[in-house]
């Protein structure tokens, strides 16, 4: 990306640590990255979609939700078993 916006490697490092000003305005950089200037500067709005990543995230979120449900079910079973064994 440095080459698209005219930055050297050293200047890119200074930009990342807020020790330099960009050579290109944020709207130019956001256009290159295909994101909004607000997202680039502040993380506001919808994040960029990378082909396939959105679908993979949906699958992972679904799997995490299923694991949470299984954990809750396991906790209930343990509680029931513990009650039965102690009573």
């Amino acid at each position: 990306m440095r080459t698209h916006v005219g930055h050297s490697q050293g200047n890119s490092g200074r930009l990342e640590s807020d020790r330099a000003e960009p050579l290109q305005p944020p709207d130019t950089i956001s256009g290159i990255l295909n994101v909004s200037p607000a997202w680039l500067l502040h993380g506001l709005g919808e994040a960029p979609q990378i082909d396939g990543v959105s679908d993979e995230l949906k699958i992972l979120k679904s799997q995490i939700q299923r694991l949470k449900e299984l954990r809750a079910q396991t906790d209930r079973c343990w509680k029931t078993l513990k009650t039965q064994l102690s009573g």
Side-chain angles (χ1 to χ4, degrees):
M1 184 176 119
R2 283 192 318 262
T3 57
H4 290 298
V5 294
H7 285 284
S8 67
Q9 184 173 358
N11 195 41
S12 294
R14 288 189 294 278
L15 277 169
E16 291 172 4
S17 62
D18 291 331
R19 293 180 291 160
E21 292 293 320
L23 297 175
Q24 300 289 332
D27 56 335
T28 301
I29 297 170
S30 67
I32 293 168
L33 296 173
N34 199 26
V35 298
S36 71
W39 187 86
L40 179 66
L41 294 172
H42 308 289
L44 300 175
E46 192 169 326
Q49 298 297 317
I50 301 171
D51 293 339
V53 172
S54 180
D55 292 337
E56 291 174 6
L57 286 177
K58 287 178 187 175
I59 292 168
L60 287 173
K61 286 179 181 180
S62 173
Q63 290 173 338
I64 289 170
Q65 182 59 38
R66 180 68 179 134
L67 287 172
K68 287 179 180 180
E69 292 166 1
L70 290 171
R71 170 66 190 265
Q73 183 180 1
T74 301
D75 288 345
R76 287 190 300 273
C77 288
W78 274 110
K79 185 176 181 180
T80 302
L81 182 61
K82 188 176 179 180
T83 301
Q84 289 175 347
L85 291 175
S86 64

